[in-house]
Amino acid sequence: MMNFNDFVNEVKGNIKLFLPKDYENAEVSVMEYLKLNRAYTGLVVRKEGEMIAPTINLNQLYEAYNTQPGVTMETVCRKIADMVSVAPIQVDLKSILNYEDVKDKLFIRVSSAEANKEVLENAPYQLREDLAITYHVAVGKDQDGLSSMFIKNDLLEQYGITAEQLHEDAIKSSPHVMPPEVSSMGALIDEMYQKNILMLTPDEREMLQETLQESSEMPTFFVVTNTERVDGAGVIFYPEFMDNMGELLGNDFFILPSSIHEMLILPDDGQVDAEMLKEMVKEVNATQVAPEERLTDEVYHYDMKDHVFEKADRFTERQKEKAAQAVKTEKDGKEQPEQKPKAKKHDMEL
């Protein structure tokens, strides 16, 4: 089996053989990229006179080369050549560097502050508990999804605005750039299967009915994401989203980080154990969520009365503190004899 370094050198040395003639003077380089939630080795093929070029993730291609039968070095190079020459990135750099042009294209994402500590050293962000809100520019949308650019400190400096201003503008424009989507877990399962319902065998149809029945007996989870269903966990921080959600549910609620793409919301009816939910999130993260898509193992809570987003265990502590304070206040009130308030001098004046 070829090791990763040999694979990278082989691709770098041969890629021009698979590219059109106008790429013969192109610059081919390999760099280490540190992105939110992931790090990878990227190949960049930049034509003469081009300011920017797509970055190809070599780690993903190496994995396919090693694990998928029939994937040869030629297959890999042809794939890269297609990505480089067939779909060049069309971006107006001038407009990206002008804040007035990007202001309405800003949107937020959330990720684990701990897992992305190194990346966040060079980027503006705000913390909400252990979640980091970062800022991105929507560059363009096509059949492959949304192209975006992560705003780091050097770009913020270019814009000549404060991190606070960036946050305020991004929060305001996010619902327009990446509209929110809320659905019940049952509805999502239903939609998932409806697409293939005509292809199901009688046995599979019976299994589907059982799954839907089981999901209807479970607590009502709501899935919060964006209409792209990609990097949608940040939707909960959209303006007034949590207050509106609480009014809709008529209750406080727990927030479970399903992945960087979505959050799950569960009404807090007083019967749900936060510790049990935390164990559930840990288990799902460890067994069903890819490392680069994990958010955190925490469970969060939104208190409608106090308008507070916090870790669920902190909410539990606050409730205990409130209850203890209420008992103390009541006890102190009973022990104090009722005293007639002394008249103050200014109370006597006419």
Side-chain angles (χ1 to χ4, degrees), residues 34 117-125 150-154:
L34 198 57
K117 199 186 293 183
E118 212 177 322
V119 183
L120 295 173
E121 283 176 6
N122 301 308
Y125 68 95
F150 179 22
I151 296 179
K152 295 192 175 179
N153 288 338
D154 52 356

Side-chain angles (χ1 to χ4, degrees), residues 81-265:
D82 284 346
M83 293 163 81
V84 169
S85 58
V86 176
I89 298 177
Q90 299 298 326
V91 177
D92 181 356
L93 268 184
K94 272 189 181 175
S95 68
I96 283 179
L97 297 176
N98 183 332
Y99 188 66
E100 283 307 309
D101 288 344
V102 302
K103 194 174 170 183
D104 296 331
K105 297 173 186 171
L106 297 172
F107 67 97
I108 63 168
R109 284 180 177 155
V110 295
S111 56
S112 160
E114 180 59 33
N116 292 286
K117 199 186 293 183
E118 212 177 322
V119 183
L120 295 173
E121 283 176 6
N122 301 308
Y125 68 95
Q126 282 199 14
L127 276 180
R128 295 292 181 272
E129 291 293 357
D130 56 344
L131 298 174
I133 297 177
T134 51
Y135 313 100
H136 307 258
V137 180
V139 174
K141 214 182 261 192
D142 58 27
Q143 67 275 11
D144 296 322
L146 181 80
S147 301
S148 64
M149 190 162 68
F150 179 22
I151 296 179
K152 295 192 175 179
N153 288 338
D154 52 356
L155 189 52
L156 180 67
E157 198 176 318
Q158 169 80 31
Y159 288 153
I161 57 162
T162 62
E164 290 74 23
Q165 181 69 52
L166 178 68
H167 177 84
E168 190 182 314
D169 292 339
I171 287 287
K172 198 183 293 178
S173 60
S174 285
H176 307 292
V177 178
M178 296 290 250
E181 181 179 278
V182 181
S183 55
S184 73
M185 187 68 93
L188 210 58
I189 292 172
D190 200 12
E191 178 199 327
M192 200 165 59
Y193 279 103
Q194 269 178 7
K195 290 176 182 174
N196 302 311
I197 194 79
L198 297 174
M199 307 295 289
L200 297 179
T201 65
D203 286 347
E204 287 172 331
R205 202 167 279 126
E206 193 178 326
M207 277 176 63
L208 164 61
Q209 286 167 345
E210 284 174 16
T211 307
L212 291 174
Q213 191 178 344
E214 283 169 15
S215 70
S216 67
E217 289 164 4
M218 287 170 62
T220 306
F221 279 99
F222 291 88
V223 182
V224 175
T225 182
N226 55 40
T227 49
E228 296 284 318
R229 296 184 184 174
V230 175
D231 288 308
V235 165
I236 63 161
F237 297 117
Y238 283 8
E240 298 176 12
F241 181 86
M242 285 187 262
D243 281 333
N244 291 338
M245 198 70 207
E247 282 177 27
L248 183 71
L249 300 174
N251 228 329
D252 288 0
F253 52 88
F254 291 100
I255 302 161
L256 284 65
S258 173
S259 73
I260 58 172
H261 304 303
E262 62 192 22
M263 293 284 199
L264 298 182
I265 281 181

Side-chain angles (χ1 to χ4, degrees), residues 331-345:
K331 191 177 171 187
D332 289 350
K334 284 178 181 174
E335 287 176 358
Q336 293 287 333
E338 193 176 334
Q339 291 184 356
K340 211 170 183 182
K342 289 181 181 176
K344 292 180 183 175
K345 190 178 279 184

Side-chain angles (χ1 to χ4, degrees), residues 44-88:
V44 178
V45 181
R46 196 188 311 276
K47 268 169 102 173
E48 278 186 302
E50 278 189 347
M51 292 290 288
I52 61 171
T55 302
I56 314 298
N57 186 329
L58 291 178
N59 297 73
Q60 281 181 348
L61 291 169
Y62 178 66
E63 189 180 337
Y65 177 73
N66 272 337
T67 59
Q68 294 176 22
V71 176
T72 63
M73 182 54 70
E74 183 180 344
T75 314
V76 168
C77 287
R78 287 196 184 285
K79 171 86 173 166
I80 292 171
D82 284 346
M83 293 163 81
V84 169
S85 58
V86 176

